[in-house]
């Protein structure tokens, strides 16, 4: 990917850069070298400008206090005001704590601290009046408020009505006097110095159209709002701006690539493709598959490198689309690589490609970590000579030794398991970059897709092959065990196969393994040989053993597969019609959906049984309820995003990209959509931001490019 630096946005005439905004924090009144270092280490804040972007995460109406006599433990965070009672230190070591009380005319409540005991004991003044902010709790039927935020009031103080911003701080910063209040004071200083110098970053046209506050007002009001209306207006403007610039970056990159990254031109759809399409296609393609294939063909003959994300729910039939795309590349004299995240999946792809293309003059090979050296050498040779058409594999494909004569298409299955860096690694194998088709079975909510893959084109298979019956999902508790076993037997009698899945989560791997083995044993007891054959697969087994067990199940030699989540992704056993998920409350929504996707692949009615404890957290209950209510992967992904937030949803790999200061991808869908559309219109009218009316945008874009890290997030 070319750097953006050479690309000139707008007029090159320099804009005046505010000296105050770029001042290192160390020189701001009240900071100094030590605090500056701490601010940099804890939050990455180096300049006054950075500090101004440390936005409050909450506001407290300081004039609004509750009567202490009316408190109860079900209240959320509230504020109370009263006289502090005597401080009592108790316990030693980790059990050390301080207790006190806060009393007003209506009653008293206990305050308690388990951390920072020394500081509390030394700094609080019994008998003085305090404002306390915290969440009432209950301990053994006794009301208290653990770790309240306290502020001492001067005698007779009248609390002015104003919204106090609350900033995130850390223990280290607090020790240097920079708790929320300390940070608030610094920001006040910074604001008073720089208020007139904050440059506008959006055009008048955009601000006018959406009735946005100016940048200056937005920054000022986000820190010093008069009321919640101010907060809302400021947030609206700042969220839009943040999302706008992410989209601008992605869409400029996409356009640059379209201009600069030439791709192989696959002009012809010839012999192999046509023969296969007309004679050997195992089924008629769905409309969605046909549409997606058209989109891919258009890319492949455009002369520009394809970068396409193919989204399709589990079982929607992505494999055949990949196979047909591969044939186009082969017809044009190029090789194809297909990369999957696990050996089992790579093997399955290999098998289905071998079967599908069995009657075609196309050579397919499998390369994984366990491929023997001699075999590997033969594959290398065929790959380098061009004799090999399709190479399927795991990460092993990324190793330097694999050389292609002319790799023309790289297909990546289950993208988000590979990092973006690995995606880029494939490029280098070759002089011209191959076309890239990324397939994902995890439906990604639109907002995330637009942000993570905003520089890719997206195709969606939004239709399942005909004749599929939606999986029936039920939620039961452990007490239903006998009924579940009975149901499994009934299904097996009809020739079906069954998965029983246990969670395996790293920290408690040993306990989980015990759970799995206990479960396995009770199943073995209830499903005796030789009538029943049982497979077991878990993470502690050797890959070869796993493979062997898995294969017995795939071939129908065993009726029950007891497993941990290693079977989660992609495995295809159409005859399996029951999925029992144990301790279902411990799985995330997208995991549950992936697991359920293992059944419902044949024409028979399939079932998913979620087994959980009786006692469930609110969120767990919502997850299981969502699963019972819908089979729609996109709906499930949306709910997952609401519950977990984008960072957790996508794993840590991409969380940097999702580390937004103001906007929230789970809730700001509409703003994001507007931002993207505005950017699309903008770039259509003024692709290099030369128009005078767009000068503020051009200037800010140049700034962002200078502060590189943000702009090189995705390459
Ligand atoms: P996924 O999108 O999860 O990778 P697969 O490509 O494995 O889905 O397809 C799931 C199953 O559906 C396979 O058994 C496949 O043969 C079958 N299938 C795919 N497309 C169609 C279709 N158009 N008509 C009938 N069956 C299909
Ligand atoms: Mg698949």
């Amino acid at each position: 990917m070319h750097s953006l630096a050479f690309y000139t946005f707008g007029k090159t005439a320099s804009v005046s850069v505010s000296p105050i905004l770029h001042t290192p924090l160390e020189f701001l009144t009240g900071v100094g070298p030590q605090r500056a270092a701490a601010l940099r280490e804890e939050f990455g804040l180096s300049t006054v400008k950075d500090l101004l972007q440390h936005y409050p995460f909450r506001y407290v109406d300081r004039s609004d206090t509750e009567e202490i006599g009316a408190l109860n433990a079900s209240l959320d965070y509230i504020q109370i005001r009263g006289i502090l009672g005597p401080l009592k230190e108790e316990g030693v070591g980790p059990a050390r704590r301080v207790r006190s009380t806060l009393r007003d005319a209506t009653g008293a409540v206990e305050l308690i601290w388990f951390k920072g005991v020394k500081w509390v004991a030394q700094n609080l003044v019994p008998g003085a009046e305090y404002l306390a902010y915290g969440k009432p709790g209950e301990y053994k039927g006794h009301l208290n408020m653990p770790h309240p935020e306290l502020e001492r009031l001067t005698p007779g103080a009248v609390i002015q009505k104003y919204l106090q911003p609350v900033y995130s701080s850390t223990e280290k910063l607090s020790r240097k006097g920079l708790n929320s209040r300390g940070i608030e004071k610094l920001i006040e200083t910074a604001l008073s110095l720089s208020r007139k110098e904050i440059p506008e970053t959006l055009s008048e046209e955009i601000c006018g159209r959406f009735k946005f506050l100016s940048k200056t007002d937005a920054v000022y009001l986000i820190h010093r709002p008069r009321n919640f209306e101010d907060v809302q207006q400021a947030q609206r403007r700042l969220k839009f701006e943040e999302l706008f610039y992410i989209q601008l970056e992605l869409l400029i990159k996409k356009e640059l690539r379209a201009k600069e990254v030439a791709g192989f031109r696959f002009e012809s759809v010839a012999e192999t493709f046509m023969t296969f399409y007309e004679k050997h296609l195992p089924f008629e393609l769905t409309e969605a598959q046909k549409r997606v294939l058209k989109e891919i063909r258009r890319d492949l003959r455009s002369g520009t490198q394809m970068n396409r994300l193919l989204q399709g729910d589990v079982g929607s039939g992505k494999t055949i689309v990949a196979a047909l795309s591969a044939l186009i590349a082969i017809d044009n004299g190029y090789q194809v690589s297909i990369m999957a995240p696990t050996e089992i999946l790579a093997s399955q792809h290999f098998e289905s490609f071998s079967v599908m293309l069995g009657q075609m003059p196309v050579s397919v090979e499998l390369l994984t970590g366990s491929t023997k050296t001699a075999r590997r050498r033969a594959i290398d040779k065929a790959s380098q000579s061009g004799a090999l058409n399709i190479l399927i594999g795991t990460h092993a494909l990324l190793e330097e030794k694999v050389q292609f004569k002319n790799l023309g298409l790289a297909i990546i299955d289950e993208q988000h398991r590979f990092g973006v860096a690995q995606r880029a690694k494939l490029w280098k194998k070759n002089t011209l970059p191959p076309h890239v088709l990324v397939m994902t079975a995890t439906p990604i909510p639109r907002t995330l897709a637009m942000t993570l893959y905003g520089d890719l084109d997206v195709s969606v298979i939004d239709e399942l092959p005909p004749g599929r019956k939606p999986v029936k999902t039920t939620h039961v508790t452990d007490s239903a065990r006998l009924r579940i076993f009975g149901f499994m037997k009934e299904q097996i009698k009809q020739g079906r196969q069954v998965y029983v899945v246990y969670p395996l989560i790293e920290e408690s791997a040993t306990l989980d393994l015990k759970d799995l083995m206990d479960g396995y044993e009770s199943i073995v007891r209830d499903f005796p040989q030789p009538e029943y054959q049982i497979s077991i697969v878990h993470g502690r087994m050797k890959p070869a053993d796993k493979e062997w067990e898995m294969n017995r199940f795939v071939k129908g030699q065993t009726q029950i597969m007891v497993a941990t989540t290693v079977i989660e992704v992609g495995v295809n056993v159409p005859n399996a019609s029951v999925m029992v998920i144990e301790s279902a409350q411990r799985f995330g929504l997208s995991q549950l959906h992936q697991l359920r996707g293992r059944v419902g692949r044949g024409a028979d009615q399939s079932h998913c049984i979620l087994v959980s404890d009786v006692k469930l957290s609110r969120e767990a209950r919502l997850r299981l309820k969502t699963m019972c209510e819908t089979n729609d992967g996109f709906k499930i992904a949306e709910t997952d995003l609401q519950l977990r937030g984008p960072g957790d949803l996508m794993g840590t790999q991409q969380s940097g990209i999702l580390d937004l200061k103001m906007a929230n991808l789970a809730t700001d869908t509409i703003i994001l959509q507007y931002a993207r559309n505005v950017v699309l219109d903008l770039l259509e009218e003024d692709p290099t931001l030369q128009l005078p009316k767009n000068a503020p945008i051009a200037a800010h874009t140049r700034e962002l490019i200078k502060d590189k890290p943000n702009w090189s997030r995705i390459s």
Side-chain angles (χ1 to χ4, degrees), residues 19 29 105 131 159 199 205 218 220 239 241 243 245 344 376 428 461 573 575 597-598 617-618:
T29 317
L131 199 59
I159 307 170
E205 189 181 351
Y220 187 80
K239 283 176 175 182
E241 175 181 331
L243 296 170
Y245 278 100
I344 291 177
R376 205 194 146 106
K428 291 194 207 124
I461 304 185
V573 182
N575 190 50
R598 298 308 106 218
S617 70
R618 197 186 63 85

Side-chain angles (χ1 to χ4, degrees), residues 318-319 349 413-414 570:
K318 295 182 291 295
T319 317
H349 274 314
D413 198 7
E414 308 293 351

Side-chain angles (χ1 to χ4, degrees), residues 184-455:
E184 183 187 349
K185 282 194 194 110
L186 289 188
I187 286 179
E188 247 181 70
T189 311
L191 276 176
S192 64
L193 287 172
S194 62
R195 191 170 177 188
K196 296 218 171 62
E197 302 202 21
I198 298 171
E200 181 52 59
T201 55
L202 293 175
S203 64
E204 258 174 51
E205 189 181 351
I206 295 173
C207 286
R209 180 170 158 207
F210 293 100
K211 300 201 167 57
F212 283 141
L213 296 176
S214 69
K215 176 73 183 248
T216 313
D217 287 350
V219 171
Y220 187 80
L221 289 177
I222 201 76
H223 293 294
R224 313 215 56 192
R226 293 158 299 188
N227 48 45
F228 279 111
E229 168 70 14
D230 282 350
V231 175
Q232 245 175 24
Q233 289 300 328
Q235 282 180 345
R236 204 173 135 257
R237 145 87 210 212
L238 294 172
K239 283 176 175 182
F240 180 90
E241 175 181 331
E242 190 168 34
L243 296 170
F244 174 90
Y245 278 100
I246 290 175
Q247 291 303 317
L248 187 65
E249 172 190 355
L250 289 167
L251 291 167
I252 284 173
K253 279 186 174 165
K254 187 172 163 189
E255 245 164 63
L256 278 181
R257 186 159 52 213
K259 278 207 204 82
E260 289 167 14
V261 183
F264 301 114
R265 198 184 286 274
F266 295 169
E267 306 265 12
S268 52
V269 166
E271 188 76 32
T272 343
F273 182 94
M274 291 317 287
T275 310
F276 180 74
Y277 199 90
E278 277 158 20
K279 301 219 177 101
H280 303 297
L281 208 57
F283 35 68
E284 170 142 20
L285 297 186
T286 61
E287 286 309 311
Q289 285 168 323
K290 285 184 196 161
R291 187 189 65 235
V292 166
L293 197 64
K294 249 191 220 145
E295 289 166 353
I296 293 171
R297 275 176 65 178
R298 205 190 309 127
D299 287 357
L300 294 179
R301 58 169 178 250
S302 72
T304 297
Q305 184 208 11
M306 171 171 81
N307 267 284
R308 189 167 281 279
L309 176 71
L310 173 55
Q311 274 200 60
D313 211 340
V314 278
S316 63
K318 295 182 291 295
T319 317
I320 191 75
V321 173
L324 286 161
S325 311
L327 292 182
I328 298 177
I330 294 167
D331 269 340
N332 285 270
Y334 289 93
Q335 291 168 298
V336 179
S337 72
I338 301 176
M339 194 160 74
T342 64
E343 289 211 4
I344 291 177
L345 270 180
S347 310
Q348 276 216 342
H349 274 314
F350 175 67
E351 232 149 84
S352 45
F353 269 70
S354 302
V355 170
M356 252 188 310
L357 303 177
Q359 262 117 313
M360 307 299 303
V362 170
S363 61
V364 188
E365 287 285 358
L366 175 69
L367 182 69
T368 67
S370 47
T371 304
K372 299 272 185 312
T373 317
R375 181 101 205 105
R376 205 194 146 106
R377 274 205 209 106
I379 292 174
D380 278 349
K381 209 168 139 213
S383 170
Q384 281 173 35
S385 74
L388 176 61
N389 298 121
I390 302 178
L391 182 56
I392 299 177
T394 52
H395 297 78
L397 292 189
L398 293 169
E399 284 168 28
E400 293 306 323
K401 267 178 265 166
V402 185
Q403 299 286 337
F404 293 93
K405 176 158 184 262
N406 54 3
L407 182 63
L409 172 64
I411 299 174
I412 305 177
D413 198 7
E414 308 293 351
Q415 140 75 17
H416 71 274
R417 313 224 142 196
F418 296 110
V420 173
Q422 283 170 319
R423 200 186 345 147
K425 220 170 161 184
L426 265 176
W427 275 217
K428 291 194 207 124
K429 302 214 145 288
N430 204 283
T431 43
L432 257 191
H435 293 294
V436 177
L437 181 66
V438 173
M439 305 196 291
T440 170
T442 315
I444 303 166
R446 279 168 48 73
T447 52
L448 274 183
M450 273 193 272
T451 310
L452 282 174
Y453 304 116
D455 60 337

